[in-house]
Amino acid sequence: MLTPRYFFANDFKQFYSYFLTQPHKKRFFRKGEFLWESGEPFQRIHYIISGAAQNYMEHENGHRKIISFHGEGTVFPGYHQHDYKIEQSLITTAVSDMNVLEFTKEQFRQMFETNPQLSANIVDWYSTYVNRLLYETAHQEYNSSLTRLCNLLYLLTGNETDHPDLYIDMTQDDLSDLLGISRIHVTRGLSQLREQEIILTRRKQIEIRDLPALTEYCSLETL
Amino acid sequence: MLTPRYFFANDFKQFYSYFLTQPHKKRFFRKGEFLWESGEPFQRIHYIISGAAQNYMEHENGHRKIISFHGEGTVFPGYHQHDYKIEQSLITTAVSDMNVLEFTKEQFRQMFETNPQLSANIVDWYSTYVNRLLYETAHQEYNSSLTRLCNLLYLLTGNETDHPDLYIDMTQDDLSDLLGISRIHVTRGLSQLREQEIILTRRKQIEIRDLPALTEYCSLETL
DNA sequence: CGACTCATTGACGTAGCTCAAGGTATGTGG
DNA sequence: CCACATACCTTGAGCTACGTCAATGAGTCG
């Protein structure tokens, strides 16, 4: 039973060697560079060999919403044919140096049409993406800011694995942009958790000290 | 350039005759019946011949979030293989009497794997669904309640077509559940628009009298 | 006619926002 | 290696948009 994910990785790893046999371009992006710029329609699709990217949207009033992270062994953005207005506000940047395989929409279409395993995988990827968005739209929206924060921290530990990652390397600004809660309010929530010795906060990092206690604050839907 | 949609219809119409040739079950649902019940894992997929369904989610604290409507000539839910926890809180009910073709996941998988046009269409459907969810998560979230309301009304007129539908047949409760805003606040927003003679309100219906004036209240992303 | 369901308006409370000021790591250039 | 700039974090104070509660009105249906 899958829970929402903010970080996508390794869900296309099995196609790496196949991708290499198909027409593509090898590219390198330095940390901070754009893979997909604001205002540009969606045109190229990347298979990520190493490094990670962040996908976010800029609101006309200046707010920034981080939607997802994409790391090694995954493909972003999801392949499709339509053009959506909202894509003009989407931005993808490298959060670390990246090596990728770059495909045009047309090249990817070729593969989609001739490789049934690939097309099945793309649909699964979409369903995972939908799941993450549904979680936010239909669940998180109704939670208090503290619950939302705790849910996010819990999910970022990669709860599904046997080895939860207890160090979340992210600024409070990023958490705020992921949650759609003001940075100051995020700080207040974290302070509260810190007082209860559930977490430790430091520069660009949250350390989870007491995962069971954290889950006490999470909504049922999250666990 | 596509804008978000809340109402899905006719995007699988071209497969109707194909679907009829494939293994399926014809079913009839009376208004109010469940196509997919709460707690039940996702198992069956419906092609809608006539009538319409509503897909919503129930939050553990009692809130109800309407996600989308699905009418004639479309398929719901989207085909996929994984099981997501959140699906246990999803509910689909008939909002009018419905005639559908019902497929099991397995039957649909067969079609997905053997009909490339169908699989391409499924991916396009997913991208449209993602677009609607992104719109809400990354855009509406940052708008004031009045802007959100106006955006929704505008989108519900079916703005893309040449013949906008100026009568929105929906209770204020439904609008509130679509927007994630309290019913009372929805009423207040509507009152404001009514005072400016942009809309007329009546039982289970909003009539748009002045569409251009309405768009003045919409966010840029919506138009 | 009575019993729903749906819509409206007022009064009031509060979660979360913004503004403001200050504190503490980290990195850079002289 | 120091000092200075910058990025990041913390806390307080006050405001406001939106939520809840409560009372009433207005269609609709059996």
Side-chain angles (χ1 to χ4, degrees), chain B residues 171-172 183-184 187-188 191 194 201-204:
Chain B
T171 67
Q172 297 187 9
R183 184 176 44 75
I184 288 169
T187 299
R188 288 196 220 280
S191 304
R194 189 174 354 101
T201 59
R202 56 181 73 93
R203 215 164 197 259
K204 298 191 189 184

Side-chain angles (χ1 to χ4, degrees), chain A:
Chain A
M1 204 72 81
L2 301 174
T3 49
R5 55 175 62 228
Y6 291 83
F7 196 98
F8 290 77
N10 297 322
D11 43 14
F12 282 85
K13 198 147 215 164
Q14 68 266 43
F15 299 99
Y16 182 31
S17 47
Y18 167 73
F19 285 145
L20 287 172
T21 67
Q22 301 296 114
H24 68 272
K25 209 161 92 185
K26 265 217 169 77
R27 290 198 62 184
F28 175 77
F29 291 99
R30 200 162 286 289
K31 177 177 175 177
E33 277 190 289
F34 294 99
L35 281 79
W36 180 6
E37 294 200 46
S38 170
E40 190 183 325
F42 151 59
Q43 276 165 334
R44 281 151 307 178
I45 298 173
H46 297 108
Y47 171 82
I48 302 172
I49 299 170
S50 68
Q54 183 186 52
N55 180 233
Y56 63 94
M57 188 167 146
E58 245 157 37
H59 192 280
E60 53 200 79
N61 69 14
H63 279 101
R64 190 177 98 106
K65 172 76 180 188
I66 299 178
I67 298 153
S68 49
F69 298 95
H70 305 271
E72 220 171 298
T74 193
V75 164
F76 190 78
Y79 163 75
H80 61 270
Q81 289 292 337
H82 297 320
D83 281 326
Y84 299 97
K85 169 152 174 87
I86 212 169
E87 293 178 346
Q88 299 186 337
S89 312
L90 287 177
I91 300 167
T92 308
T93 64
V95 293
S96 61
D97 290 355
M98 297 180 75
N99 285 293
V100 306
L101 306 181
E102 182 170 287
F103 301 94
T104 64
K105 232 158 129 170
E106 183 51 30
Q107 287 169 340
F108 215 91
R109 191 174 64 75
Q110 284 292 333
M111 296 192 289
F112 180 89
E113 285 173 2
T114 52
N115 187 332
Q117 270 146 45
L118 179 62
S119 50
N121 215 69
I122 288 168
V123 162
D124 283 340
W125 181 90
Y126 263 111
S127 70
T128 307
Y129 209 65
V130 162
N131 184 53
R132 177 249 174 282
L133 292 168
L134 265 184
Y135 175 74
E136 184 155 336
T137 288
H139 179 75
Q140 283 280 62
E141 168 153 20
Y142 298 102
N143 293 325
S144 72
S145 78
L146 182 61
T147 306
R148 280 156 86 161
L149 174 60
C150 292
N151 285 345
L152 177 64
L153 292 178
Y154 175 73
L155 292 172
L156 287 175
T157 61
N159 58 91
E160 288 169 41
T161 67
D162 294 339
H163 304 293
D165 180 5
L166 299 178
Y167 295 86
I168 298 170
D169 293 312
M170 224 175 258
T171 67
Q172 298 187 7
D173 250 308
D174 287 343
L175 291 175
S176 136
D177 290 343
L178 271 162
L179 286 167
I181 286 175
S182 74
R183 184 176 44 75
I184 288 169
H185 222 73
V186 168
T187 300
R188 289 196 221 280
L190 291 174
S191 303
Q192 200 174 327
L193 296 175
R194 189 172 355 100
E195 276 160 24
Q196 296 176 49
E197 300 186 330
I198 293 174
I199 61 168
L200 280 180
T201 59
R202 56 181 73 92
R203 216 161 197 262
K204 299 191 188 185
Q205 191 181 67
I206 314 288
E207 180 186 348
I208 315 263
R209 299 302 297 271
D210 189 345
L211 191 55
L214 180 66
T215 64
E216 293 290 311
Y217 281 101
C218 292
S219 58
L220 299 174
E221 185 63 57
T222 309
L223 303 173

